[in-house]
Amino acid sequence: MAAPSPRLPAAISACAPIIPDVGLPPQGNELTAQHNRWRRRMLIHLTENPGLFPLVEQRTGNVPARVRNLINREASKQQVLTRILQERYPDRDLGNHADPLDELIYIMISRRTREGAYQDVFRRLKNRFPDWKQMAEAKVEEIHAITGAAGMGIQRAADLGQTMNLIHSQFGRYSLDELRAWTDERVETFLTTLPGVGPKTAYCVLMYALGRAAFPVDTHNLRVLARVGVFHEAGLDLIRFDHKRGQAILADLIAPELRHSLHVSLVLHGRDICQPRPRCGGCAVNHLCDFYRAIQLQEINESSPST
């Protein structure tokens, strides 16, 4: 099997299963043991990775108490961001699935495909192949007759068929239910050996179908978090990273109890407001956003009379 994707060792497995995306995240004394473990991991991570966090030593002198204060400020910002966005977007159904195999297929066909198209393709696949065994036995051209309508190349159809065969070879049936008893790292390692499956797809299965404290990073998540800023006080600049590197970096930088809610909210916010050309004036969290603050300062400087 291939090695797991790069991330902090046991970053996910160190966390207990998360609560589904209902209610609001805890505050203050309600913080959980897994959250405190996350803070301890961050203390080590920030001080041992100056390439990612170049301002830590400058601003804290690597004094543990000062680094902890920086982490406290970041955790508070993440909590406020999560709570505001969860209230801003009460309709939170992205069409994901509780069955891990359904979720795997759903995310595989969603890659680089617009929302309405991949949801329609999944429904059509389900109607044509009520049992995934039928898709495994179908010709690639038959699968592509459905997936190709959404602009998906024939390789996507080939990946789906091959994935079904590999799952059957591993488990003796067309099901991923056995993953529920596996560790997070074992799940990720297995899923990322499947054709067309990367860490983000594996994390979606972990989070949505298996209830684990994974944090999938799609294009909306990365764009919004790069603008809002995550550990920006420590010098982290997400804008310079591509999607794959962003997933690896962000795998453990969001507090575990916030991950499900914040992931969903960032998808919705990225579609609605924080688009490639952001509509900052209508943003409910622009007061937390480093990008918006920089724009405001630039406008102030440009409007100030020269001396």
Side-chain angles (χ1 to χ4, degrees):
M1 285 188 176
S5 63
R7 56 174 170 79
L8 288 175
I12 297 176
S13 295
C15 305
I18 58 175
I19 299 171
D21 187 22
V22 294
L24 292 173
Q27 299 186 88
N29 294 332
E30 300 175 42
L31 292 177
T32 62
Q34 71 172 2
H35 178 92
N36 291 325
R37 288 194 296 271
W38 172 77
R39 288 183 183 231
R40 290 192 289 272
R41 291 199 304 277
M42 290 303 100
L43 179 64
I44 297 170
H45 190 45
L46 266 62
T47 54
E48 291 187 350
N49 290 277
L52 281 178
F53 309 103
L55 298 183
V56 170
E57 184 172 6
Q58 174 185 327
R59 294 187 173 179
T60 69
N62 279 340
V63 176
R66 293 177 182 171
V67 179
R68 280 194 291 269
N69 286 337
L70 186 156
I71 294 168
N72 290 344
R73 291 190 291 273
E74 172 65 25
S76 295
K77 178 177 178 178
Q78 290 185 16
Q79 282 198 337
V80 173
L81 176 68
T82 303
R83 293 176 72 85
I84 292 174
L85 289 179
Q86 186 161 317
E87 291 174 334
R88 171 66 180 80
Y89 301 102
D91 183 4
R92 308 180 62 74
D93 183 6
L94 298 179
N96 297 89
H97 300 271
D99 178 84
L101 183 51
D102 284 1
E103 178 66 7
L104 175 64
I105 295 170
Y106 183 73
I107 299 300
M108 286 180 69
I109 63 177
S110 73
R111 290 185 303 112
R112 297 189 295 275
T113 307
R114 59 184 177 83
E115 179 189 4
Y118 68 75
Q119 291 177 341
D120 180 63
V121 165
F122 183 83
R123 285 192 294 269
R124 292 173 61 201
L125 282 174
K126 268 291 199 182
N127 290 335
R128 176 63 184 84
F129 307 114
D131 186 329
W132 291 127
K133 176 183 178 182
Q134 297 172 311
M135 186 169 74
E137 296 172 344
K139 294 181 179 180
V140 171
E141 292 77 12
E142 190 176 356
I143 301 171
H144 186 246
I146 299 173
T147 61
M152 302 176 192
I154 197 165
Q155 185 59 51
R156 188 95 54 110
D159 288 347
L160 289 168
Q162 188 179 356
T163 290
M164 291 299 102
N165 291 324
L166 290 171
I167 288 171
H168 186 270
S169 177
Q170 174 74 30
F171 301 110
R173 58 189 180 132
Y174 299 98
S175 170
L176 291 176
D177 284 344
E178 288 191 33
L179 299 187
R180 300 184 190 280
W182 288 16
T183 64
D184 303 321
E185 187 170 358
R186 187 181 178 192
V187 171
E188 181 187 2
T189 300
F190 170 70
L191 290 178
T192 52
T193 65
L194 301 175
V197 176
K200 181 255 183 177
T201 299
Y203 285 19
C204 283
V205 174
L206 279 162
M207 189 187 79
Y208 283 111
L210 302 179
R212 312 294 177 85
F215 186 66
V217 177
D218 74 349
T219 183
H220 299 295
N221 279 241
L222 182 59
R223 181 172 63 252
V224 179
L225 290 178
R227 289 170 175 169
V228 171
V230 175
F231 283 102
H232 195 253
E233 185 181 350
L236 179 62
D237 181 11
L238 290 170
I239 292 176
R240 62 192 175 100
F241 297 113
D242 62 18
H243 176 263
K244 289 184 179 180
R245 182 65 175 142
Q247 173 67 85
I249 291 169
L250 286 166
D252 198 36
L253 292 189
I254 302 300
E257 71 279 6
L258 307 179
R259 291 175 186 172
H260 190 295
S261 176
L262 189 56
H263 168 81
V264 173
S265 292
L266 293 175
V267 173
L268 296 168
H269 192 59
R271 291 174 181 173
D272 182 38
I273 297 293
C274 200
Q275 301 167 355
R277 290 187 177 183
R279 299 191 289 121
C280 297
C283 179
V285 292
N286 58 20
H287 62 293
L288 300 172
C289 182
D290 295 332
F291 176 81
Y292 181 70
R293 188 177 299 112
I295 290 175
Q296 294 294 97
L297 288 174
Q298 181 179 352
E299 291 178 353
I300 289 172
N301 290 335
E302 289 176 352
S303 63
S304 299
S306 57
T307 56

